[in-house]
Amino acid sequence: MDMVRNFHMAQGLGETSYAQNSPLQKEVIESVMDITLRSAMEACAAETVSIADLGCSSGRNTLSVVENVIRAVCERRREATQQLPEFMVFLNDLPSNDFNTLFSLVPEFVQKLKAEHDDGGGILVSVAGAPGNFYGRLFPSSSLHFITSFTSLHWLSQVPAGLLNNEESVNKGNIYMSPASLPLVATLYFEQFQKDINMFLRSRSQELVVGGRMVFSIIGRMSHDSHEKINECPLLEALEKSLSILVSQKLVTEEKLDSFNLPFYAPSTQELEDQVHREASFTIDSMKQAHDWTIHEYAPKMLSNFSRAIIESFICHHFGEEIIEPLFETYTQLLCEKLVAREDIGWSKIIVVLCKSAAS
C-alpha cells in the first residue's frame, strides 16, 4: 500500500513537479472547461456555493479551474440580476501533497476575483485544504454543490490483489493490463476498478446536495471488449519495453520486472455507465469520449518528463533509484523512434457529468 501511496503522490493524487507547470495537464483541463462551466452554472444556485476539486495537486492549473467556475457562476447570477453568492472552495489531495505551495497562490487568486467583482462589496471566496484519499468520504453529508476531478480516477487505490500467486506473477513481462496480459489479469483489474469507482461514487453521492453536479475526466479505452486493445496507452507500452531493455542489459532482474504492476485501469464508457447505474444515486447529464494528445504535438523529451514525474516514485520504490536515469534515457529514445516512424502516441479520454438525483 505504501508503494501505491507514493505512486499517487506523483500522478495527480499527490505532489508532483509536472503538475505545477505541465502544458499537458493544462490542455486536459482546458479541453473539458466548457462542459465544466455549464455544469457549474446549473448546479450552483445556493447563497453559499461549495466547490471541491479532488486530486488537485499543487500547481496553478488547480486554481485556474476553480477561478473559471466561480467566474461563470457569478456571470450567470448577474444575468439573472441575482445577488452574488459566497464561495467555499475545498482542495483535496493526499496529505503528502505540497499544500504549502498551493496555498501560497491563494491570496493572489482571491484578490483577483474580488477585484473582478467589486461592484457592491465584491465576493467572498474562502479556500481550505481537504487532505485525504478520495476513495472514501471526505466531506459532511449534503455539503457540496459542485465537484471536479481531472485525470485521476484511472489510477486505482491499489495494485489488484491476486497478480502475485504464491510469489509467482500472473502478469509476467507486463507492467499493467496490456494486450499481452492473460484474461485473468483483465478480470483482476476490472474487479479492482469496480470496487474503487463504486466507493468513489457512493462517497460523492453522500457529500453532494440533491441536484449537485460532478465533472470528471478519466483515461478510457475505445473498445467495450475487456480484453481488446486493452488500455490503449502507448506511453505505458513504451515504458514496459524500456524496462525489458534494462533487463536485457542486466540492469534489472527479470524477477523484479515480473513483480512490478501499475495500479492503472482505463475503463470503457459502457463500464462507467454500468457502475453509475449500479450505484443509482446519479443521472448521467453527459458522457463523451475524445482522442487526446499525439506525439507529433509534443517533443519526446517533454512526454518523457511528463511520464517520469507521474511514476518515478513508484519505480524508485520497487527497483531502486539507480535505474531511473538509464530507464528514462531509453524511454526517451523509444519515443524519438516513434516520432520518426510517425506513430500515434495519443490516448482516449472520457468526460463525465453526473447529477445527484436522490438523497442517500
Side-chain angles (χ1 to χ4, degrees):
M1 197 63 178
D2 285 342
M3 289 193 298
V4 175
R5 183 184 66 80
N6 291 336
F7 178 68
H8 284 172
M9 284 169 55
Q11 51 71 37
L13 295 178
E15 70 180 83
T16 163
S17 57
Y18 91 84
Q20 295 179 27
N21 298 289
S22 170
L24 292 177
Q25 188 197 43
K26 182 179 180 181
E27 181 172 317
V28 171
I29 292 172
E30 289 179 348
S31 71
V32 302
M33 188 55 71
D34 284 347
I35 196 167
T36 301
L37 297 183
R38 288 197 301 272
S39 301
M41 288 187 289
E42 293 169 0
C44 301
E47 292 184 8
T48 299
V49 173
S50 297
I51 303 167
D53 185 41
L54 308 183
C56 67
S57 191
S58 58
R60 290 183 178 275
N61 290 339
T62 292
L63 294 179
S64 69
V65 173
V66 175
E67 177 182 333
N68 283 304
V69 167
I70 291 175
R71 190 176 288 124
V73 172
C74 289
E75 184 64 27
R76 170 64 65 88
R77 294 290 185 92
R78 280 203 176 88
E79 290 175 356
T81 63
Q82 296 175 342
Q83 183 176 347
L84 298 184
E86 297 179 340
F87 293 91
M88 184 70 238
V89 177
F90 298 99
L91 304 176
N92 157 258
D93 218 309
L94 292 182
S96 50
N97 185 51
D98 187 1
F99 283 102
N100 286 337
T101 294
L102 185 56
F103 288 150
S104 71
L105 304 173
V106 168
E108 178 185 351
F109 157 77
V110 171
Q111 288 303 318
K112 180 179 179 181
L113 286 170
K114 284 184 176 180
E116 288 181 6
H117 303 286
D118 190 17
D119 53 356
I123 59 173
L124 176 66
V125 181
S126 297
V127 180
N133 191 326
F134 61 44
Y135 288 119
R137 288 290 302 274
L138 292 165
F139 306 102
S141 298
S142 302
S143 62
L144 299 177
H145 299 93
F146 190 66
I147 297 172
T148 62
S149 183
F150 299 120
T151 61
S152 291
L153 280 168
H154 38 262
W155 298 112
L156 303 173
S157 65
Q158 64 179 51
V159 173
L163 288 179
L164 290 178
N165 186 9
N166 295 324
E167 299 187 358
E168 182 74 15
S169 173
V170 298
N171 199 28
K172 283 189 175 183
N174 307 304
I175 65 172
Y176 66 111
M177 196 182 82
S178 75
S181 298
L182 296 172
L184 173 60
V185 174
T187 298
L188 293 172
Y189 269 96
F190 179 58
E191 289 176 350
Q192 186 63 51
F193 164 74
Q194 286 182 301
K195 292 177 185 177
D196 286 347
I197 197 68
N198 181 265
M199 175 61 76
F200 179 83
L201 292 173
R202 184 154 31 99
S203 299
R204 305 296 80 79
S205 167
Q206 292 173 305
E207 295 163 352
L208 277 168
V209 301
V210 174
R213 283 174 170 80
M214 173 165 59
V215 178
F216 64 86
S217 67
I218 183 172
I219 294 176
R221 66 176 189 276
M222 300 298 293
S223 171
H224 296 307
D225 189 317
S226 65
H227 206 72
E228 180 183 341
K229 294 184 178 178
I230 285 174
N231 282 336
E232 297 170 326
C233 288
L235 288 177
L236 293 184
E237 180 185 338
L239 180 66
E240 187 175 88
K241 185 175 180 180
S242 299
L243 284 165
S244 296
I245 290 173
L246 264 59
V247 170
S248 69
Q249 296 172 344
K250 302 193 182 306
L251 296 176
V252 170
T253 66
E254 187 172 351
E255 293 75 19
K256 203 72 173 174
L257 175 58
D258 287 343
S259 62
F260 179 68
N261 292 283
L262 294 174
F264 176 92
Y265 186 82
S268 67
T269 54
Q270 187 60 57
E271 288 171 348
L272 278 173
E273 276 190 56
D274 290 345
Q275 294 306 310
V276 172
H277 293 318
R278 179 177 296 182
E279 196 280 328
S281 295
F282 294 97
T283 57
I284 300 174
D285 278 3
S286 173
M287 183 180 295
K288 66 178 184 177
Q289 193 162 19
H291 198 66
D292 236 346
W293 326 305
T294 66
I295 195 169
H296 312 301
E297 298 171 11
Y298 298 101
K301 185 64 175 176
M302 179 185 292
L303 285 169
S304 180
N305 288 340
F306 171 75
S307 297
R308 177 172 177 169
I310 294 173
I311 61 175
E312 180 174 353
S313 63
F314 200 33
I315 289 175
C316 285
H317 189 282
H318 189 82
F319 295 101
E321 296 182 4
E322 62 275 8
I323 78 158
I324 292 298
E325 296 306 325
L327 173 62
F328 283 98
E329 286 174 9
T330 302
Y331 184 66
T332 303
Q333 181 58 41
L334 288 179
L335 295 182
C336 287
E337 292 173 5
K338 287 182 177 290
L339 174 61
V340 172
R342 304 297 295 175
E343 292 184 28
D344 183 23
I345 203 165
W347 52 47
S348 172
K349 72 170 179 285
I350 303 172
I351 305 162
V352 183
V353 182
L354 302 180
C355 178
K356 169 71 179 296
S357 59
S360 56

